[in-house]
Amino acid sequence: MELEEVMTGLKAWFRPEEHKERDLPGGGRWFYVPWQIIRERLDVVCPEWEVEYSTPVYIDKFCTVTCTITIAGRKRQGVGNAELELRSREGKDMARGTPIERAIADAFKTAAEAWGVARYLDEQTDPKTKAAFIKYMNSSGDGRASTYNLQNEGSLPQRDRSAYNKPVPPKGPPKSKKPVSAPSAQQPTPPAPQVDMKANQQRAEALCMLLGCKVEELGSIATNTLNKALPLLDESEFRRVRSLALIQWGEMQRPDMEVRRHWGAFWSQEMTSVGDAELFHQWCDYLNQQLV
């Protein structure tokens, strides 16, 4: 395989689910690709790749290692650092592995990035590259990038998932109902809407991935509002649960805003035909515009 073909394979973006989350030093969250997945990419694209590491050097409070990755006879290096002690503000040990292991992993990812592997994540300071990455993640139904981008820019605060478990306010006293006569032979009872339980489950999982919640939390909304299990919802019922979930998500993100009133201004009948992911992103954009 020619080096040009190798570089194309190395620079290819990883699948959305292969991107893991990490805390940024200055606050907020973004993505990285674990070194184990990067190693698999090298194994697939260029099986004869080679790697070597320097002897660890200790400088002040850091362990430093240099990694060299050789592909097709060419070498590229990366330097990795790891603090000797990694503790939280509360004094809890946050380190995973020894300083040498962490420095080696950091050096390996840096050297791989020198070959173009996952480099697009290091180029997120470019608005165009970041927008393309967010669109790429969204296209698979993964809304984490959209949410973190808004949070990192200060448009939306970090979410508190506990709000999903808030009890639904009790409804008022039931209204008296007029007696309903049995349908006549000329007016047969319309058939119940067809329900695809498997499709509902898959749809719920995709929606929860966007909202960053669990399917059980979405099911709780369905049970509390419709007294019905999530897989048994028909289309109109699922749309109602979706709306309530989006409202709750908005309330978690913007506790300083009258989210339910804004939902009334945002929603229109035409949106019943809009897909879940598209509606979520339109709702994000709408909330973001209210801050301008």
Side-chain angles (χ1 to χ4, degrees):
M1 183 181 293
E2 298 293 333
L3 185 60
E4 184 176 348
E5 295 179 75
V6 171
M7 293 300 296
T8 299
L10 293 176
K11 290 182 178 180
W13 288 16
F14 288 89
R15 297 192 303 272
E17 63 272 17
E18 292 177 315
H19 295 84
K20 308 304 178 183
E21 307 161 14
R22 67 181 179 91
D23 293 326
L24 298 176
R29 296 178 69 79
W30 203 238
F31 300 92
Y32 75 99
V33 178
W35 67 267
Q36 296 92 336
I37 295 178
I38 292 175
R39 180 182 59 190
E40 291 178 8
R41 168 66 60 84
L42 290 167
D43 288 340
V44 170
V45 175
C46 42
E48 297 180 357
W49 68 284
E50 299 176 356
V51 64
E52 56 183 309
Y53 299 95
S54 68
T55 302
V57 175
Y58 294 91
I59 303 175
D60 194 15
K61 297 180 180 180
F62 292 87
C63 174
T64 301
V65 173
T66 299
C67 173
T68 303
I69 294 179
T70 304
I71 298 175
R74 303 190 184 187
K75 301 177 182 290
R76 296 191 181 183
Q77 291 185 330
V79 177
N81 297 289
E83 292 186 64
L84 300 183
E85 290 189 1
L86 194 60
R87 297 185 178 277
S88 66
R89 293 180 180 178
E90 295 76 22
K92 182 180 178 181
D93 186 3
M94 302 295 290
R96 295 183 178 179
T98 66
I100 294 178
E101 291 172 337
R102 288 184 280 116
I104 286 175
D106 186 45
F108 176 72
K109 289 191 288 186
T110 305
E113 185 179 307
W115 281 102
V117 182
R119 184 183 294 173
Y120 58 91
L121 289 176
D122 198 42
E123 296 172 346
Q124 295 300 302
T125 51
D126 180 354
K128 291 184 178 179
T129 305
K130 179 178 287 188
F133 176 70
I134 293 172
K135 184 177 181 180
Y136 169 71
M137 296 289 280
N138 289 345
S139 65
S140 70
D142 190 331
R144 290 178 298 165
S146 290
T147 301
Y148 295 153
N149 182 51
L150 291 171
Q151 291 173 345
N152 295 343
E153 291 178 351
S155 300
L156 296 176
Q158 301 296 320
R159 69 181 61 176
D160 177 7
R161 291 186 180 179
S162 63
Y164 268 99
N165 299 320
K166 291 181 179 179
V168 176
K171 298 180 180 180
K175 298 180 180 179
S176 59
K177 297 182 179 180
K178 296 181 179 180
V180 180
S181 59
S184 64
Q186 291 76 21
Q187 297 177 334
T189 303
Q194 294 296 316
V195 173
D196 188 333
M197 297 177 62
K198 183 177 180 180
N200 272 355
Q201 183 69 21
Q202 293 174 343
R203 184 179 179 183
E205 291 172 355
L207 181 58
C208 287
M209 182 176 291
L210 287 169
L211 300 177
C213 67
K214 297 179 180 179
V215 175
E216 291 79 6
E217 296 167 339
L218 199 64
S220 178
I221 297 176
T223 302
N224 291 334
T225 57
L226 300 173
N227 195 27
K228 202 170 183 180
L230 189 62
L232 301 178
L233 301 182
D234 60 34
E235 177 61 28
S236 63
E237 292 170 334
F238 196 101
R239 287 199 302 266
R240 182 179 175 186
V241 170
R242 176 184 69 175
S243 295
L244 291 172
L246 289 171
I247 290 171
Q248 287 192 12
W249 179 86
E251 289 174 334
M252 285 186 289
Q253 304 295 342
R254 296 305 316 176
D256 57 327
M257 186 182 292
E258 297 181 27
V259 171
R260 291 181 182 267
R261 179 175 62 82
H262 281 292
W263 177 265
F266 164 77
W267 178 260
S268 65
Q269 189 61 31
E270 290 75 15
M271 289 183 176
T272 56
S273 60
V274 175
D276 299 338
E278 178 61 26
L279 184 63
F280 169 76
H281 299 306
Q282 289 184 21
W283 180 226
C284 284
D285 292 341
Y286 178 87
L287 290 178
N288 202 23
Q289 291 168 6
Q290 307 314 304
L291 302 173
V292 178

